[in-house]
Tab-separated table of all heavy atoms in Angstrom:
chain	number	residue	atom	x	y	z
A	278	LEU	N	115.533	75.045	89.819
A	278	LEU	CA	116.001	76.256	89.160
A	278	LEU	C	117.216	76.820	89.887
A	278	LEU	O	117.373	76.625	91.092
A	278	LEU	CB	114.882	77.300	89.139
A	278	LEU	CG	113.640	76.990	88.306
A	278	LEU	CD1	112.663	78.151	88.379
A	278	LEU	CD2	113.996	76.703	86.866
A	279	PRO	N	118.086	77.532	89.175
A	279	PRO	CA	119.247	78.146	89.835
A	279	PRO	C	118.824	79.089	90.949
A	279	PRO	O	117.817	79.797	90.840
A	279	PRO	CB	119.932	78.905	88.693
A	279	PRO	CG	119.518	78.185	87.450
A	279	PRO	CD	118.112	77.729	87.711
A	282	LEU	N	118.159	83.823	90.998
A	282	LEU	CA	117.737	84.415	89.727
A	282	LEU	C	117.160	85.809	89.918
A	282	LEU	O	117.241	86.654	89.017
A	282	LEU	CB	116.682	83.515	89.056
A	282	LEU	CG	117.183	82.230	88.400
A	282	LEU	CD1	116.004	81.382	87.950
A	282	LEU	CD2	118.106	82.528	87.232
A	283	GLU	N	116.589	86.074	91.092
A	283	GLU	CA	115.981	87.383	91.332
A	283	GLU	C	117.009	88.503	91.322
A	283	GLU	O	116.659	89.677	91.195
A	283	GLU	CB	115.229	87.380	92.671
A	283	GLU	CG	116.107	87.252	93.910
A	283	GLU	CD	116.443	85.827	94.272
A	283	GLU	OE1	116.128	84.912	93.477
A	283	GLU	OE2	117.010	85.613	95.360
A	288	LEU	N	117.811	89.413	82.905
A	288	LEU	CA	117.884	88.135	82.196
A	288	LEU	C	116.806	88.035	81.119
A	288	LEU	O	115.627	88.268	81.377
A	288	LEU	CB	117.734	86.984	83.181
A	288	LEU	CG	118.098	85.585	82.671
A	288	LEU	CD1	119.573	85.515	82.317
A	288	LEU	CD2	117.748	84.523	83.704
A	291	LEU	N	116.830	82.040	79.359
A	291	LEU	CA	117.210	81.062	80.376
A	291	LEU	C	117.064	79.676	79.762
A	291	LEU	O	115.954	79.221	79.473
A	291	LEU	CB	116.329	81.209	81.616
A	291	LEU	CG	116.633	80.294	82.806
A	291	LEU	CD1	118.071	80.440	83.247
A	291	LEU	CD2	115.683	80.592	83.966
A	293	LEU	N	117.553	75.799	80.266
A	293	LEU	CA	117.710	74.770	81.300
A	293	LEU	C	117.261	73.394	80.798
A	293	LEU	O	116.887	72.533	81.591
A	293	LEU	CB	116.891	75.147	82.543
A	293	LEU	CG	117.256	76.471	83.227
A	293	LEU	CD1	116.254	76.798	84.317
A	293	LEU	CD2	118.674	76.417	83.788
A	301	LEU	N	108.776	73.461	89.970
A	301	LEU	CA	109.029	74.884	89.812
A	301	LEU	C	108.255	75.643	90.874
A	301	LEU	O	107.088	75.340	91.127
A	301	LEU	CB	108.600	75.370	88.419
A	301	LEU	CG	109.203	74.676	87.206
A	301	LEU	CD1	108.585	75.239	85.937
A	301	LEU	CD2	110.712	74.855	87.169
A	302	ARG	N	108.888	76.628	91.484
A	302	ARG	CA	108.215	77.485	92.450
A	302	ARG	C	107.973	78.845	91.809
A	302	ARG	O	108.888	79.450	91.262
A	302	ARG	CB	109.050	77.628	93.727
A	302	ARG	CG	109.138	76.339	94.534
A	302	ARG	CD	110.051	76.501	95.733
A	302	ARG	NE	111.437	76.681	95.323
A	302	ARG	CZ	112.446	76.816	96.180
A	302	ARG	NH1	112.215	76.811	97.477
A	302	ARG	NH2	113.681	76.964	95.733
A	303	SER	N	106.721	79.322	91.897
A	303	SER	CA	106.329	80.531	91.165
A	303	SER	C	107.169	81.741	91.556
A	303	SER	O	107.479	82.586	90.722
A	303	SER	CB	104.846	80.821	91.403
A	303	SER	OG	104.563	80.935	92.794
A	304	ALA	N	107.564	81.856	92.832
A	304	ALA	CA	108.305	83.033	93.280
A	304	ALA	C	109.685	83.125	92.644
A	304	ALA	O	110.270	84.207	92.574
A	304	ALA	CB	108.429	83.017	94.805
A	305	GLU	N	110.228	82.015	92.157
A	305	GLU	CA	111.580	82.011	91.609
A	305	GLU	C	111.691	82.789	90.307
A	305	GLU	O	112.779	83.231	89.932
A	305	GLU	CB	112.047	80.573	91.382
A	305	GLU	CG	112.206	79.781	92.664
A	305	GLU	CD	112.559	78.328	92.395
A	305	GLU	OE1	111.821	77.678	91.628
A	305	GLU	OE2	113.556	77.841	92.946
A	306	LEU	N	110.592	82.964	89.594
A	306	LEU	CA	110.632	83.639	88.295
A	306	LEU	C	109.956	85.003	88.309
A	306	LEU	O	110.010	85.720	87.315
A	306	LEU	CB	109.949	82.763	87.237
A	306	LEU	CG	110.589	81.397	86.967
A	306	LEU	CD1	109.716	80.590	86.010
A	306	LEU	CD2	111.991	81.552	86.392
A	307	SER	N	109.328	85.362	89.407
A	307	SER	CA	108.474	86.553	89.429
A	307	SER	C	109.241	87.846	89.170
A	307	SER	O	108.654	88.835	88.708
A	307	SER	CB	107.733	86.643	90.762
A	307	SER	OG	108.653	86.718	91.844
A	308	HIS	N	110.559	87.887	89.458
A	308	HIS	CA	111.336	89.119	89.258
A	308	HIS	C	111.904	89.236	87.851
A	308	HIS	O	112.467	90.286	87.505
A	308	HIS	CB	112.484	89.179	90.267
A	308	HIS	CG	112.034	89.328	91.684
A	308	HIS	ND1	111.530	90.506	92.189
A	308	HIS	CD2	111.992	88.437	92.705
A	308	HIS	CE1	111.213	90.341	93.454
A	308	HIS	NE2	111.480	89.096	93.793
A	309	LEU	N	111.784	88.200	87.045
A	309	LEU	CA	112.395	88.210	85.720
A	309	LEU	C	111.458	88.848	84.702
A	309	LEU	O	110.992	88.200	83.768
A	309	LEU	CB	112.786	86.787	85.305
A	309	LEU	CG	113.729	86.057	86.272
A	309	LEU	CD1	114.065	84.675	85.734
A	309	LEU	CD2	115.002	86.870	86.500
A	310	ARG	N	111.206	90.123	84.855
A	310	ARG	CA	110.232	90.828	84.014
A	310	ARG	C	110.718	91.029	82.586
A	310	ARG	O	109.919	91.362	81.705
A	310	ARG	CB	109.885	92.178	84.644
A	310	ARG	CG	109.363	92.079	86.086
A	310	ARG	CD	108.088	91.269	86.163
A	310	ARG	NE	107.626	91.077	87.526
A	310	ARG	CZ	106.816	91.897	88.174
A	310	ARG	NH1	106.391	92.991	87.571
A	310	ARG	NH2	106.450	91.630	89.405
A	312	LEU	N	112.400	88.579	80.910
A	312	LEU	CA	112.639	87.257	80.328
A	312	LEU	C	111.823	87.066	79.053
A	312	LEU	O	110.609	87.240	79.042
A	312	LEU	CB	112.285	86.171	81.343
A	312	LEU	CG	112.752	84.756	80.991
A	312	LEU	CD1	114.279	84.692	80.980
A	312	LEU	CD2	112.188	83.748	81.974
A	315	LEU	N	112.288	80.927	77.809
A	315	LEU	CA	112.483	79.997	78.917
A	315	LEU	C	112.418	78.588	78.354
A	315	LEU	O	111.366	78.129	77.911
A	315	LEU	CB	111.414	80.203	79.987
A	315	LEU	CG	111.465	79.262	81.201
A	315	LEU	CD1	112.815	79.320	81.877
A	315	LEU	CD2	110.348	79.610	82.181
A	317	LEU	N	112.738	74.731	79.046
A	317	LEU	CA	112.689	73.708	80.092
A	317	LEU	C	112.386	72.329	79.508
A	317	LEU	O	111.968	71.427	80.240
A	317	LEU	CB	111.617	74.073	81.126
A	317	LEU	CG	111.941	75.278	82.020
A	317	LEU	CD1	110.681	75.787	82.711
A	317	LEU	CD2	113.007	74.926	83.036
A	329	MET	N	102.185	80.379	87.604
A	329	MET	CA	103.638	80.251	87.506
A	329	MET	C	104.264	81.316	86.606
A	329	MET	O	105.314	81.873	86.921
A	329	MET	CB	103.974	78.855	86.971
A	329	MET	CG	105.438	78.532	86.882
A	329	MET	SD	106.154	78.221	88.496
A	329	MET	CE	107.778	78.909	88.281
A	330	PHE	N	103.653	81.614	85.484
A	330	PHE	CA	104.283	82.477	84.477
A	330	PHE	C	103.546	83.800	84.277
A	330	PHE	O	103.848	84.532	83.333
A	330	PHE	CB	104.361	81.744	83.137
A	330	PHE	CG	105.008	80.389	83.225
A	330	PHE	CD1	104.265	79.234	83.058
A	330	PHE	CD2	106.357	80.267	83.498
A	330	PHE	CE1	104.851	77.978	83.143
A	330	PHE	CE2	106.966	79.021	83.602
A	330	PHE	CZ	106.208	77.875	83.417
A	332	ASP	N	103.636	86.701	85.633
A	332	ASP	CA	104.372	87.967	85.722
A	332	ASP	C	105.382	88.154	84.592
A	332	ASP	O	106.030	89.193	84.509
A	332	ASP	CB	105.117	88.042	87.062
A	332	ASP	CG	104.173	88.098	88.252
A	332	ASP	OD1	103.106	88.721	88.115
A	332	ASP	OD2	104.495	87.522	89.308
A	333	LEU	N	105.513	87.157	83.724
A	333	LEU	CA	106.514	87.219	82.650
A	333	LEU	C	105.894	87.832	81.398
A	333	LEU	O	105.680	87.166	80.382
A	333	LEU	CB	107.071	85.819	82.367
A	333	LEU	CG	107.591	85.052	83.586
A	333	LEU	CD1	108.159	83.703	83.173
A	333	LEU	CD2	108.646	85.871	84.338
A	339	LEU	N	108.169	79.651	75.471
A	339	LEU	CA	108.152	78.782	76.654
A	339	LEU	C	108.130	77.347	76.163
A	339	LEU	O	107.140	76.886	75.605
A	339	LEU	CB	106.927	79.069	77.528
A	339	LEU	CG	106.717	78.108	78.708
A	339	LEU	CD1	107.890	78.157	79.666
A	339	LEU	CD2	105.419	78.429	79.437
Side-chain angles (χ1 to χ4, degrees):
L278 294 181
L282 285 173
E283 67 275 8
L288 193 64
L291 182 56
L293 300 173
L301 304 176
R302 291 176 292 182
S303 56
E305 294 175 306
L306 298 174
S307 60
H308 293 286
L309 303 181
R310 304 299 176 89
L312 192 65
L315 178 56
L317 290 164
M329 183 74 215
F330 307 110
D332 295 325
L333 308 182
L339 173 61

